[in-house]
Amino acid sequence: MEKVIIIRFGEIFLKGKNKKFFENLLEKNIKNALSIYDCFIEKSHNRFYATKYDTEIESNIIATLQKVFGIHSVSPAIKMPTDIEKVAGVIAPVLPQASTFRVTVKRADKTIAMTSTEIAGKIGGDILLLKPQMSVDLHNPDLTINVDIRENKTSYIFYENIKCYEGMPVGSSGKGMLLLSGGIDSPVAGFRMAKRGMQINAIHFHSYPFTSIQAKEKVIELGEIISNYCGHFPLFVVPFTAIQQAIHKYCREDFMITVMRMIMIEISEKIAISQNCGALITGESLGQVASQTLESITVTNSRVTSLPILRPLIDMDKTEIIKISKDIDTFETSILPYEDCCTIFLPKNPIIKPKLSVAQAEYNKIEGLQELIENAIKNVEIVKIKNK
Ligand code: ATP
Ligand code: MG
C-alpha cells in the first residue's frame, strides 16, 4: 500500500497524432515543476502518477501541480494490490468527516467476475460496518469514494478530485514576448497565454531615475510569480528614459502616450524577433484607457512589421481581470504604489482617437529616434526570472 497522486491530462487528449509530443512535453513540465521535491513521476495508461514522496509534502506537490498547464485534475490516492476484501479497511480510517457517501467503481480488470456495481455494493457495505454513523446516498453524497481497478492487479482508491487549470503544456504553442508593466493586467495576460501553451519571455521599459528601483523590482517579483505557471524565462529590461525625454521634447502633449506606445511596440518586436518569439503579448483591454481605444490600437499595430500582437484580455472588464490576478497571486504585488514608466510625463488629456497620419507625423518629429532605439536595445539588461 502506498500513497500516490493521480495526475489526469486535459485537452491534450484531443490532439490525435501529436498526442505523444504533448504528453512528453507535459511530463517534462511536471518533472521540472516538481524538481524541488523528492518524488518520482510514473506514466501509465494516459495518466501520470507522483510516487515515493513523503506524505508531509503531499499538499505542496498538489499545489505545484495545480499550476502546471495541461493537467485536468489531480487526486491523492491509495495504491494497493487489487483485493476487494481489503478496500474498506484501507480507506475507512482516512475518510474525512461526512455523513453520506457512495462508492463508484471502475473496473478495467475484466478477470474479476463481479460487475462494477456489485463491487461497489460490497465495498459500501464493508465501509458501513466500519463507519456505522455514515449512510449511503447514491444521488447527492457528501463523499464519493472512487475505486479504480486497473488491469495490472493494482487498485487506486481516492475521494478527492482537485480541478486544475487545464490548458495546454507550456511550450506547445510557440513563444511570445510579454510586455510586462508593473500593473494588474499584463501579468494576467502572460498567465493566459501560457495557459494556451505559450512559452513566455518578457520585456519591461523603465525610466530610471524618473521611476524607482522598486518599480523594477516589483516587475521582477511579478515575473517570479508568473514563472510558477510558465517556468523560467528571461526578462529584458529596456532603459527608456532618453526616449521618453525625447518624446517630451518633440511631440504634441496629447500624442505623447500614443507615440510612446508606438516606440515600445517597435522595440519589443525587434527584441522578440531576436529571441525567436512568434508574437507580442500585451495586457490591453478595449476602451479601458485612452491608449486602448480601437484607434489607438490601430496606431500601435502600425509599428509591427511581422509579429501579431496578442491581447488576451481585450474583451474583459477590469473586475474580471482583478479576479484572475487575485487567483494567480499577482494582485497584491501589482497594486504596490511604485510607478511604471507610463505614469510619468503623463499628459493631462491624452488623445482618445488618434489619427494614424497625425501619430506618424508626431513620431517622425523626434530627432535621432532610430539611434535612441538602437541605444536602448544595446543597453538592455537581461534578468533571469525563476520561480520562488
Ligand atoms: P497594466 O495593468 O498591464 O499596466 P494598464 O491598464 O496600466 O495595463 P497601459 O498602461 O495602457 O494599461 O498598458 C497597456 C499594456 O502595455 C500593458 O498591459 C503592458 O502589456 C504594456 N505596457 C505598459 N507599460 C509598460 C512597461 N513599462 N513595460 C512593458 N510593457 C508595458
Ligand atoms: Mg500600466
Side-chain angles (χ1 to χ4, degrees):
M1 201 177 87
E2 182 194 353
K3 285 221 73 183
V4 301
I5 300 167
I6 302 171
I7 305 168
R8 302 179 190 85
F9 310 162
E11 196 175 318
I12 54 173
F13 263 138
L14 306 173
K15 296 290 168 185
K17 273 192 235 143
N18 287 333
K19 199 174 141 200
K20 259 264 95 41
F21 165 77
F22 284 95
E23 275 182 23
N24 290 342
L25 189 58
L26 181 59
E27 182 174 3
K28 189 178 121 220
N29 292 351
I30 290 173
K31 284 183 174 164
N32 276 342
L34 296 183
S35 62
I36 46 172
Y37 304 113
D38 205 3
C39 71
F40 284 85
I41 295 298
E42 291 167 21
K43 189 160 117 186
S44 113
H45 294 93
N46 292 323
R47 281 174 178 190
F48 295 110
Y49 297 93
T51 63
K52 302 187 179 60
Y53 54 85
D54 188 336
T55 46
E56 273 181 20
I57 58 165
E58 186 174 78
S59 56
N60 299 16
I61 294 178
I62 289 174
T64 303
L65 287 170
Q66 282 182 283
K67 294 182 177 143
V68 178
F69 296 129
I71 297 178
H72 173 274
S73 61
V74 297
S75 295
I78 295 169
K79 177 184 178 184
M80 60 182 281
T82 296
D83 185 342
I84 291 158
E85 294 295 333
K86 291 196 175 146
V87 172
V90 165
I91 194 72
V94 298
L95 289 178
Q97 275 292 340
S99 42
T100 59
F101 75 98
R102 67 165 286 161
V103 177
T104 298
V105 172
K106 254 199 207 154
R107 181 187 54 119
D109 181 353
K110 302 297 176 200
T111 63
I112 297 174
M114 293 162 83
T115 65
S116 298
T117 319
E118 286 165 355
I119 299 169
K122 152 82 180 133
I123 295 172
D126 291 351
I127 292 174
L128 282 175
L129 291 176
L130 296 167
K131 293 263 183 187
Q133 74 281 19
M134 289 178 89
S135 58
V136 171
D137 180 346
L138 293 182
H139 303 293
N140 193 19
D142 297 337
L143 266 187
T144 297
I145 299 163
N146 295 277
V147 182
D148 202 352
I149 305 173
R150 310 297 279 195
E151 292 93 339
N152 55 357
K153 306 286 173 219
T154 305
S155 296
Y156 296 87
I157 304 138
F158 57 94
Y159 55 83
E160 273 180 288
N161 195 319
I162 302 163
K163 288 268 169 285
C164 301
Y165 284 112
E166 300 200 41
M168 312 258 287
V170 168
S172 63
S173 304
K175 186 159 75 170
M177 181 64 80
L178 169 68
L179 279 78
L180 184 61
S181 71
I184 294 170
D185 306 333
S186 46
V188 174
F191 164 86
R192 302 252 304 184
M193 292 321 301
K195 181 167 178 282
R196 288 310 301 164
M198 266 204 151
Q199 195 187 334
I200 300 294
N201 281 188
I203 188 165
H204 175 67
F205 295 85
H206 83 132
S207 304
Y208 185 78
F210 298 102
T211 54
S212 60
I213 292 292
Q214 287 100 312
K216 185 176 122 188
E217 281 164 1
K218 174 182 169 184
V219 171
I220 293 174
E221 193 173 324
L222 287 170
E224 286 169 348
I225 299 170
I226 57 172
S227 77
N228 285 316
Y229 303 90
C230 63
H232 302 180
F233 65 86
L235 168 70
F236 298 85
V237 181
V238 183
F240 206 49
T241 315
I243 291 173
Q244 282 213 305
Q245 283 169 326
I247 296 171
H248 200 63
K249 182 169 170 193
Y250 293 107
C251 300
R252 244 171 77 175
E253 193 183 323
D254 55 346
F255 270 77
M256 281 180 192
I257 288 190
T258 312
V259 173
M260 184 188 77
R261 298 199 56 78
M262 292 165 85
I263 300 171
M264 274 188 178
I265 285 289
E266 187 174 339
I267 294 177
S268 299
E269 188 187 36
K270 286 196 162 82
I271 296 179
I273 289 171
S274 78
Q275 299 304 309
N276 293 319
C277 291
L280 300 178
I281 304 164
T282 75
E284 289 160 294
S285 150
L286 190 63
Q288 195 190 82
V289 287
S291 62
Q292 298 177 17
T293 59
L294 213 46
E295 291 79 1
S296 297
I297 287 173
T298 307
V299 172
T300 16
N301 278 5
S302 76
R303 295 314 303 173
V304 282
T305 56
S306 57
L307 299 187
I309 303 175
L310 304 179
R311 299 177 169 96
L313 314 185
I314 198 70
D315 72 339
M316 292 174 78
D317 296 343
K318 196 74 183 184
T319 48
E320 295 175 273
I321 300 170
I322 288 175
K323 193 161 174 271
I324 300 176
S325 103
K326 286 183 174 166
D327 179 50
I328 66 174
D329 268 348
T330 51
F331 184 73
E332 293 302 327
T333 307
S334 288
I335 59 171
L336 291 174
Y338 316 112
E339 301 182 321
D340 71 20
C341 72
C342 294
T343 39
I344 60 164
F345 302 118
L346 198 71
K348 272 185 225 74
N349 295 305
I351 183 100
I352 293 171
K353 298 185 172 191
K355 262 197 165 156
L356 184 55
S357 56
V358 182
Q360 269 160 354
E362 289 302 312
Y363 172 97
N364 288 334
K365 278 190 195 165
I366 304 173
E367 283 176 22
L369 179 59
Q370 285 316 308
E371 203 181 319
L372 286 171
I373 290 178
E374 275 165 31
N375 259 332
I377 294 176
K378 212 165 59 199
N379 291 309
V380 159
E381 180 197 354
I382 304 176
V383 182
K384 287 184 182 154
I385 302 289
K386 288 190 180 141
N387 47 348
K388 286 205 263 190

